[in-house]
Each structure stands twice: as structure tokens, then as C-alpha cells.
Amino acid sequence: MAPRVIRPADKLKIVCTIVNKQWHELTVRALIFTPEQEIATSVQHFIPNVPDTLALKIPSNIAQDTYRLRVEGRTLSGELKFFNESAITFEQKAV
């Protein structure tokens, strides 16, 4: 599960479960970015069938832009096993 909308100063949680038992341990990285820069990132080690959470803190000074979320899993040796990338909607916080 992952958010579809981000706002300045948001605290986000991304829940991930590795279901392929052949992948003994993976490093999962979640990244929110624009074409120009990385906004927030989190890295966590996961083992199969054990759900865990990646936490991301969105900076309070972000502005309207095109944001994307990428979640990727790599073996401990660095081999890419999966990734997913999707657009995220930016909404300014109400005052």
C-alpha cells in the first residue's frame, strides 16, 4: 500500500510484503522524486512473508511539481528483483 497524494510536511508509510520465498532477504527502497531531485527516501531490509513499513517524511518546503513514487527491491548483492513506479498528486496544505 502506498499513498497517491502528498502534501508538504506529510509523514507517509508504505507497507510492503515480499511474497517470493526464493528471495531470502531484500533491501527495499522507496523514493519520492521529481525530474530534478530526490524529495524523500527510505530503505529497509525485508524477509519473505513478513510485512514491514517504510516511513517517508516529506519536506515542508516542497512546491507544486511532477512527483513520482518508486519502490524497488534488491538482493543484498545489489541485483534488482522488482520495482514499481507511479505518479503522485501534489496538494498544498489548507491554511
Side-chain angles (χ1 to χ4, degrees):
M1 290 178 30
R4 297 267 184 221
V5 175
I6 60 170
R7 294 177 184 86
D10 266 356
K11 294 178 182 176
L12 306 176
K13 292 182 181 181
I14 298 172
V15 177
C16 182
T17 304
I18 306 301
V19 295
N20 188 331
K21 293 179 184 179
Q22 295 176 356
W23 300 338
H24 301 290
E25 184 176 356
L26 292 182
T27 300
V28 177
R29 178 178 184 229
L31 168 68
I32 295 177
F33 63 98
T34 69
E36 293 80 32
Q37 67 179 334
E38 197 172 287
I39 302 301
T41 189
S42 180
V43 177
Q44 181 83 11
H45 291 286
F46 285 77
I47 56 175
N49 294 321
V50 180
D52 208 343
T53 303
L54 294 154
L56 294 159
K57 173 76 167 93
I58 305 300
S60 60
N61 62 344
I62 65 169
Q64 184 68 45
D65 206 334
T66 302
Y67 292 95
R68 297 196 60 81
L69 168 67
R70 180 180 172 98
V71 178
E72 62 184 32
R74 294 181 181 270
T75 62
L76 298 181
S77 65
E79 180 185 356
L80 182 66
K81 289 296 186 179
F82 72 86
F83 77 94
N84 186 301
E85 192 171 302
S86 58
I88 298 180
T89 302
F90 172 84
E91 289 183 3
Q92 187 66 42
K93 276 195 169 182
V95 180

